[in-house]
Amino acid sequence: MTIRLPGAEGGFRTYEPRPEPLALHTGAPFTSRTVFSAAHVVADPFADVSPDSPAAIDWDATLAFRRHLWSHGLGVAEAMDTAQRGMGLDWAGAAELIRRSAAEARAEGGRIACGVGTDQLTAGTLAEVRAAYEEQLAVVEESGAQAILMASRALCAAARGPEHYLEVYGHLLRQAAEPVILHWLGPMFDPALDGYWGSADLDTATETFLEVIAAHPDKVDGIKVSLLDAQREIDLRRRLPDGVRCYTGDDFNYPELIAGDEQGFSHALLGIFDPLGPLAAEAVRVLDTGDTQGFRALLDPTVELSRHLFQAPTRFYKTGVVFLAWLAGHQTHFTMVGGLQSARSLPHFARAYELADTLGLFPDPKLAEERMKTLLALYGVDQ
């Protein structure tokens, strides 16, 4: 059994799908690392909406996917970039997602942390930015979830220097009921965040970021860094106060960062752990036994797929994540909030399918093959 796939340089190649998936099992949370998967949302394919309409969510499928992640011991990072915050999911939709997912987490005994941002604003003064953050922080805390203070487009536009970041974040940390995760999302994920922390120079920005943490170490559980620069993350985590975790958000270099070195390691909060969930969980359980080599042997081969999904323009990685969820049988359709399923090309999808199938990620390889052939047929590719 073979499938005819289009290549990025034109032409076609023949691929033979693997007959069986990896044998991956559910299990308890991990002991050596704290690991969150940033989870996608499932759109309602039958809603009569346009790309600029409020998001129409299939709540049953969306919550079922979170139960899937919890069953493998992963925490869920909710209402984050992977859930299309700022790219189809507005604050009203995110607030409902937070409330529903937090309630589901309580019922399932799953760990959850939720994004706090300012996306009810398109622009505003510093006071308005602070108030927007406060509104979202209240929703997350009332839901019983841990808060992740996300990078804010509105703050980036309103701030005139590092002092404004120190002022806004200091205010939020002082009023937070429990320690939060601070989120630094690089401009490759969102161009509107260029110059965050008051400078386009990352060394200067890092000093401001560390100053925020140093002023409130008791209110910072950890930091989530998504700059796709492994050495910068390592240098940063070595400067963190005792007790403040580094959660890698580096979807290019996560195996080495989670494995760590003689001076420390990173925990994880990753979008790529949405499609990799069961395999990532298996790898971390191996790491729990102290077998770093076995951990790397499982996780290193996944990096090629992750780099493919997160290739520039990086912000469209969500399309590949949802595509793989459809092939894996976690949802019945390949439709996304805001019509974002159109954001990647057919050769991109074909390569994602091939890489994921080679890894054994699909619980039912035959179903994934049939769905891939259906997509190819819609593009006019005969088998």
Side-chain angles (χ1 to χ4, degrees), residues 25-30 35 68-75 111 281 285:
H25 308 287
T26 57
F30 318 116
V35 180
H68 155 73
L69 294 172
W70 286 320
S71 75
H72 288 276
L74 296 156
R111 184 165 186 163
R285 286 197 183 86

Side-chain angles (χ1 to χ4, degrees), residues 66-321:
R66 280 130 184 86
R67 291 192 296 272
H68 155 73
L69 294 172
W70 286 320
S71 75
H72 288 276
L74 296 156
V76 169
E78 187 57 275
M80 300 293 291
D81 184 58
T82 307
Q84 295 182 240
R85 286 292 289 271
M87 289 186 70
L89 184 70
D90 61 11
W91 166 235
E96 185 171 3
L97 178 63
I98 288 165
R99 294 187 180 103
R100 286 176 179 258
S101 291
E104 197 75 14
R106 289 194 299 274
E108 295 289 321
R111 184 165 186 163
I112 189 168
C114 299
V116 171
T118 64
D119 45 331
Q120 63 270 61
L121 297 176
T122 53
T125 65
L126 286 176
E128 290 169 332
V129 169
R130 188 174 66 189
Y133 264 130
E134 289 174 333
E135 177 189 354
Q136 296 201 14
L137 180 61
V139 169
V140 171
E141 291 187 336
E142 288 165 6
S143 77
Q146 184 178 16
I148 303 171
L149 293 186
M150 302 172 69
S152 161
R153 294 173 179 172
L155 177 55
C156 194
R160 292 295 172 263
E163 66 278 5
H164 289 158
Y165 290 88
L166 295 170
E167 174 189 337
V168 170
Y169 277 91
H171 175 85
L172 294 169
L173 290 171
R174 283 190 295 272
Q175 75 174 64
E178 301 291 340
V180 308
I181 298 172
L182 296 180
H183 184 201
W184 186 356
L185 193 69
M188 68 288 293
F189 288 92
D190 187 343
L193 298 176
D194 191 28
Y196 211 73
W197 303 109
S199 177
D201 178 78
L202 291 179
D203 292 335
T204 302
T206 296
E207 296 306 316
T208 303
F209 188 43
L210 287 168
E211 188 174 346
V212 169
I213 298 164
H216 308 276
D218 59 322
K219 288 297 186 75
V220 181
D221 165 71
I223 63 169
K224 193 263 191 184
V225 185
S226 298
L227 298 175
L228 303 184
D229 184 334
Q231 190 57 52
R232 183 170 293 279
E233 178 176 321
I234 291 168
D235 293 342
L236 177 56
R237 80 183 181 204
R238 289 175 179 171
R239 298 179 63 189
L240 293 175
D242 290 343
V244 176
R245 297 182 177 99
C246 179
Y247 294 92
T248 188
D250 188 331
D251 300 278
F252 283 5
N253 303 293
Y254 50 93
E256 65 183 271
L257 291 165
I258 297 169
D261 56 29
E262 67 282 353
Q263 297 185 51
F265 56 82
S266 294
H267 300 269
L269 197 165
L270 287 161
I272 192 56
F273 279 9
D274 179 304
L276 290 184
L279 178 54
E282 189 90 358
V284 176
R285 286 197 183 86
V286 170
L287 188 60
D288 285 346
T289 70
D291 184 1
T292 301
Q293 185 175 355
F295 166 79
R296 295 293 299 268
L298 282 170
L299 213 55
D300 282 359
T302 68
V303 171
E304 186 177 4
L305 171 63
S306 188
R307 288 179 175 243
H308 177 73
L309 296 182
F310 284 78
Q311 67 183 235
T314 302
R315 63 190 181 277
F316 294 125
Y317 77 88
K318 303 139 184 113
T319 301
V321 165

